[in-house]
Amino acid sequence: MNRYAAGLCGAVLALLAGGPARAQTSDDVVRIGVLTDLSGPYADSGGRGSVVAAEMAAGDFGGRARGKPVEIVSADHQNKPDVASSIARRWYDVEKVDAIVDLPVTAIALAVQAVSKEKNRTVMITAAATSDLTAKTCSAVSSHWTDDTHALTAGTARAVFERGGRSWYFITVDHAFGHALQKAATEVVEALGGRVVGTSRHPINTADYSSFLLQAQSSGADVVAFASVGDDFTKAIKQANEFGLTQGAQTLTGFLVYITDIKGLGLPVARGLTFSSAFYWDQSESARAFAKRFQEKTGAMPTKNQALIYAAVTHYLKAIDRAGTDEAVAVNRAMRAMPVAFFDRPASLRADGRLLYDPVLYRVKDPSASKGPWDLYEAVRTIPQGEAFLPMNPACAERNG
């Protein structure tokens, strides 16, 4: 009887031990989905390059996490929140995707963040910039890697103000994202004792910026700030150059700027433009090494979104090893507990999922100072993370504790 009981107990213990081991990595595959813009206005800053960055991270990690193979899948969300939500649900429910990364456009990121919370899956947002992703809709399974609207504006506005930019004129795209950029920058400028002397607002995809630029030029403002992104931003800068603003005494400042924007504009047009960024390919030895390999695969230097995808996926895989599972809450807890390998710069994930680091204010080089086709930026000032990022919402600390 004792031998039977001992044998039964041993069998039960073996089953208990084996159960969690089998559940440690769901489906025996770690599957990461890159949900990006493959064919629209953000295809250059994300797109195929985002997929390549995720594949590079998985490959550099050895292609396995906790001994299980890592698989990268991708899809085009077509810049539509309903399409993105549908893909996320299918990935989670049918294709057993464990984590989603990238997500340009605020509405898309918020939609997929909500689905990920509902399905208890990891989401790493490296493109959409709204600070609401941690300030309001924080989640125990979500992390926000890119410089958010507060960092893009508050840190940049302070740095530009301290370099003499006391009066500002805004040329702002007339939707929620543009309004948020202008509002955050205005609050900083006015708190420092500066003033906004004028604002022009334009619809998305405006073709003619001449009247806005002439008003900005005649305002005498120290700074002309473009609160827009993508085609709206680059078209406005091209026309600003035609009206002589880039060669004048006024400082031109952008907020959400990608290296592909500057490359497309060219140094003669973009020279002198200032903005902050989480990443530049020439910022450190490890950044240069990554960028060189990325360029060999894609023909271009990585944007900050693509570099952040590499960092985020690498960190996620490390966290799976540390947690011993790909279960989302456990992995995200491990992600928050470990320092982030951020191209030789100190970085960490806060309890609410906000990546903390020191952004850098850059200025586009004069053509005579450039030593190569991608030698586009010069560093002006490092922005301390305390200036760049909002304090953590106490409710988010409790929610993620």
Side-chain angles (χ1 to χ4, degrees), residues 139-161:
S139 163
V141 297
S142 172
S143 52
H144 194 193
W145 290 71
T146 194
D147 24 21
D148 61 25
T149 46
H150 190 271
L152 289 166
T153 53
T156 301
R158 178 181 291 274
V160 172
F161 182 90

Side-chain angles (χ1 to χ4, degrees), residues 70 87 107 114 124 147 176 178 186 194 229 253 286 343 354 392:
V70 178
I87 292 170
M124 299 172 287
D147 24 21
T186 298
V229 64
T253 295
S286 66
F343 303 102
R354 172 68 257 166
M392 183 163 56

Side-chain angles (χ1 to χ4, degrees), residues 51-276:
V51 181
V52 170
E55 291 172 343
M56 287 176 66
D60 289 350
F61 202 73
R64 305 181 78 81
R66 291 293 295 180
K68 305 300 181 182
V70 178
E71 180 182 334
I72 306 296
V73 299
S74 62
D76 188 347
H77 57 48
Q78 302 171 40
N79 293 300
K80 297 176 182 178
D82 57 335
V83 172
S85 295
S86 177
I87 292 170
R89 288 184 182 280
R90 186 185 78 241
W91 273 356
Y92 290 149
D93 292 340
V94 179
E95 300 180 28
K96 307 304 179 185
V97 167
D98 301 294
I100 290 176
V101 69
D102 199 348
L103 303 171
V105 184
T106 292
I108 286 169
L110 289 168
V112 174
Q113 185 188 48
V115 174
S116 301
K117 182 178 180 180
E118 174 192 338
K119 299 295 183 181
N120 191 39
R121 296 291 192 276
T122 294
V123 59
M124 299 172 287
I125 301 158
T126 60
T130 178
S131 57
D132 286 353
L133 289 161
T134 49
K136 293 182 180 179
T137 63
C138 55
S139 163
V141 297
S142 172
S143 52
H144 194 193
W145 290 71
T146 194
D147 24 21
D148 61 25
T149 46
H150 190 271
L152 289 166
T153 53
T156 301
R158 178 181 291 274
V160 172
F161 182 90
E162 291 176 352
R163 294 180 60 83
R166 301 302 198 261
S167 58
W168 290 58
Y169 192 101
F170 285 91
I171 298 178
T172 302
V173 62
D174 194 9
H175 66 69
F177 179 72
H179 298 173
L181 290 175
Q182 181 180 332
K183 180 176 182 292
T186 298
E187 289 173 353
V188 172
V189 170
E190 292 181 344
L192 291 170
R195 61 196 179 99
V196 175
V197 299
T199 297
S200 294
R201 290 186 172 175
H202 61 84
I204 296 173
N205 293 326
T206 296
D208 184 3
Y209 293 82
S210 58
S211 63
F212 312 132
L213 293 165
L214 288 171
Q215 290 176 56
Q217 194 173 37
S218 63
S219 73
D222 299 324
V223 181
V224 179
F226 296 86
S228 56
V229 64
D231 287 346
D232 286 316
F233 171 74
T234 56
K235 284 186 292 187
I237 296 298
K238 285 178 182 177
Q239 292 180 35
N241 179 67
E242 293 169 3
F243 281 92
L245 271 72
T246 55
Q247 291 83 42
Q250 293 172 305
T251 296
L252 271 58
T253 295
F255 295 114
L256 184 50
V257 181
Y258 291 101
I259 193 170
T260 45
D261 296 331
I262 304 304
K263 180 66 173 174
L265 287 167
L267 292 181
V269 172
R271 61 183 172 184
L273 184 69
T274 60
F275 49 87
S276 64

Side-chain angles (χ1 to χ4, degrees), residues 30 32 34 50 52-66 70 72 99 101 122 124 126 143 145 286 290 293 305-323 331 334-335 338-343 349:
V30 176
I32 301 169
V34 181
S50 290
V52 170
E55 291 172 343
M56 287 176 66
D60 289 350
F61 202 73
R64 305 181 78 81
R66 291 293 295 180
V70 178
I72 306 296
V101 69
T122 294
M124 299 172 287
T126 60
S143 52
W145 290 71
S286 66
F290 163 71
R293 293 192 298 125
N305 178 27
Q306 293 156 350
L308 287 164
I309 287 171
Y310 179 87
V313 171
T314 299
H315 195 67
Y316 173 69
L317 296 175
K318 288 180 180 177
I320 290 175
D321 275 358
R322 175 166 177 157
V331 172
M335 289 170 70
M338 300 186 302
V340 178
F342 198 58
F343 303 102
L349 281 175

